[in-house]
Amino acid sequence: MDPKNLISINKNIDNVSEAAFPYWWVFQGENLQASGQEGQMVVFFGNDMATFIKMGVDADRYIKKCNECLDYLRKNFKNYRLCYKPHPADKEEKVLLDLAGFDFINDKINSELFLFQNRDRIKGVFSEGSASSWSAYGMGLNAYVFYKCFVDVCGNDLTRPSDDFFFNMPQSFFIKNFNETIVDNARNLEKAESLELFFRQKLSENTGTVWLVAFTVEYIVWLIALAKLVKNLSPANRVGLIISHHRYWSSLNANYFKKYFDEIVVWPRINYSLRPAKLWQAVKTARQIKNFKISKDDILISIAQNSFVENCLNSYHKNNLKIGLIADKDFNLFYNSQNSIYTNNSDFRFNKASWFFNKILEPLLGLHRSVFMFYSRGGGYFITRYQKPLNEVFDRLIIMKATAK
């Protein structure tokens, strides 16, 4: 299979729209005072360094470049509180960096919840190329990435995908050299009027539980925002959260978010694997989801990431309204066959397990076929998407952007 030939959107179906990030709602009614420290924090989010090393990056050169990033922040923010928050999977970077003058933040919450809770305290957010910077910009903070300074260390093959990941960000978001002047780029958060109007209509037509379906913790603040939006528009609707249990959920204290949901359901993450125990777990999970009691008036809203749990819910509950929300970065990265990942690579390949799921297991279980293929050196990069056009999986597909209305 050549994924370049897969269709992203069926243009014969008029069910795709755009909307702004839902962050405006998340800050409504929250008591998040800055305690006299408004705008005093400058935060550098770390990486999982081991991932880069496995793909051939020289560790010493990588750390040297990261230290140059930290020096740049020391030079430009002399009177601010400098903070370093490590990646949850990292074991090496945080030990090897020169963190002189930086407070080490080790609060065991993910970066998006950290940003949510400390938004009024933060002056700016920086990273090599983390989604944390993307989230910070979405929340109305000054946000920046350094990955363009790492081309000489990581090479074009490893840095080019970041261009597709951050394709819709303003030029001020990218630090290209260490002599560059930092420009404030925080945007005012505005209510997404079109999103509110759409949900108001659908909630009037569907009075059951609104189920929010998620895989990674990256979108937890989106989920809180959507729960608050639903409760604001229709207090009678219950809001449930369905989690496909990624390992980072285990390190995230549920007390930080459970109050926003009436019910939380957790199913296991199903990885592509040919191990008999893992295949049996996939079959059992599919059966449980198929038998999950969902009322005909319930709504399924997925942060569309093509997880096995999401696939089962959308495949088996065909009579329920299914809404897919996908970030523009994810849509561009995985569904845009004109981006540099597709145009600069010709070695897309299944592994044995993802081939088996696509060709045999998913059709047998009555699921949408998923595509999980590796490319580039080291096997560290991959694409993941539904095989069919994304707007055929959902009744309504909404592409979420920072600049949409």
Side-chain angles (χ1 to χ4, degrees), residues 360-375:
I360 299 174
L361 185 63
E362 289 166 343
L364 280 175
L365 293 176
L367 303 180
H368 300 296
R369 294 183 194 234
S370 65
V371 175
F372 186 91
M373 304 180 82
F374 292 99
Y375 67 93

Side-chain angles (χ1 to χ4, degrees), residues 122 158 160 162 202 224 240 260 272 289 295 305 327 342 346 404:
I122 294 174
L158 297 187
R160 188 185 300 116
S162 294
K202 296 307 176 185
I224 294 171
Y260 299 100
Y272 295 98
I289 295 174
S295 165
Q305 294 183 294
Y342 289 100
S346 58

Side-chain angles (χ1 to χ4, degrees), residues 270 279-287 290 308 311-312 315-316 318 356-357 359-368:
I270 302 300
L279 289 172
W280 178 237
Q281 184 184 46
V283 173
K284 287 196 301 181
T285 300
R287 183 185 302 164
K290 189 172 186 177
F308 187 84
N311 192 351
C312 289
S315 298
Y316 293 145
K318 300 182 184 298
F356 180 80
F357 270 64
K359 304 297 184 183
I360 299 174
L361 185 63
E362 289 166 343
L364 280 175
L365 293 176
L367 303 180
H368 300 296

Side-chain angles (χ1 to χ4, degrees), residues 77-296:
F77 297 99
K78 293 179 179 179
N79 297 317
Y80 290 83
R81 180 190 172 197
L82 302 178
C83 301
Y84 170 81
K85 184 167 172 57
H87 189 282
D90 176 64
K91 296 179 180 178
E92 301 177 64
E93 181 186 272
K94 60 189 177 186
V95 177
L96 297 173
L97 288 177
D98 175 10
L99 293 173
F102 280 75
D103 290 339
F104 189 89
I105 306 296
N106 194 24
D107 51 13
K108 303 300 183 184
I109 65 172
N110 76 319
S111 58
E112 284 71 27
L113 278 175
F114 176 84
L115 294 169
F116 170 48
Q117 294 179 353
N118 293 280
R119 180 174 178 264
D120 290 342
R121 299 179 176 90
I122 294 174
K123 167 64 176 175
V125 172
F126 295 81
S127 70
E128 180 273 334
S130 169
S132 304
S133 290
W134 179 85
S135 296
Y137 181 78
M139 291 186 202
L141 291 165
N142 294 311
Y144 312 88
V145 289
F146 285 109
Y147 76 87
K148 290 183 181 292
C149 300
F150 281 72
V151 174
D152 61 330
V153 176
C154 299
N156 284 319
D157 284 350
L158 297 187
T159 55
R160 188 185 300 116
S162 294
D163 290 334
D164 295 307
F165 190 83
F166 297 119
F167 81 106
N168 217 16
M169 304 304 286
Q171 284 303 304
S172 59
F173 182 77
F174 304 97
I175 304 297
K176 303 178 184 68
N177 64 75
F178 296 120
N179 295 314
E180 192 170 318
T181 300
I182 298 171
V183 178
D184 285 353
N185 60 14
R187 62 192 190 88
N188 292 325
L189 292 184
E190 297 180 358
K191 184 192 294 187
E193 301 285 356
S194 61
L195 192 66
E196 180 177 19
L197 180 63
F198 172 75
F199 274 97
R200 188 184 300 278
Q201 176 187 347
K202 296 307 176 185
L203 290 170
S204 69
E205 299 168 353
N206 301 270
T207 57
T209 299
V210 177
W211 294 101
L212 301 175
V213 185
F215 170 48
T216 67
V217 297
E218 174 186 350
Y219 292 107
I220 184 61
V221 180
W222 273 32
L223 297 165
I224 294 171
L226 293 168
K228 294 179 71 171
L229 168 60
V230 171
K231 287 296 187 182
N232 178 264
L233 294 177
S234 182
N237 283 84
R238 298 178 76 254
V239 180
L241 174 62
I242 296 176
I243 295 171
S244 177
H245 195 270
H246 189 282
R247 60 182 170 139
Y248 294 150
W249 287 103
S250 298
S251 62
L252 191 62
N253 190 333
N255 290 328
Y256 289 117
F257 60 86
K258 67 180 183 180
K259 67 179 181 180
Y260 299 100
F261 305 97
D262 297 298
E263 182 178 355
I264 297 177
V265 177
V266 180
W267 275 304
R269 177 189 183 183
I270 302 300
N271 293 313
Y272 295 98
S273 173
L274 293 178
R275 292 170 56 190
K278 295 292 186 181
L279 289 172
W280 178 237
Q281 184 184 46
V283 173
K284 287 196 301 181
T285 300
R287 183 185 302 164
Q288 291 169 358
I289 295 174
K290 189 172 186 177
N291 294 326
F292 184 57
K293 300 300 183 183
I294 291 184
S295 165
K296 62 181 179 63

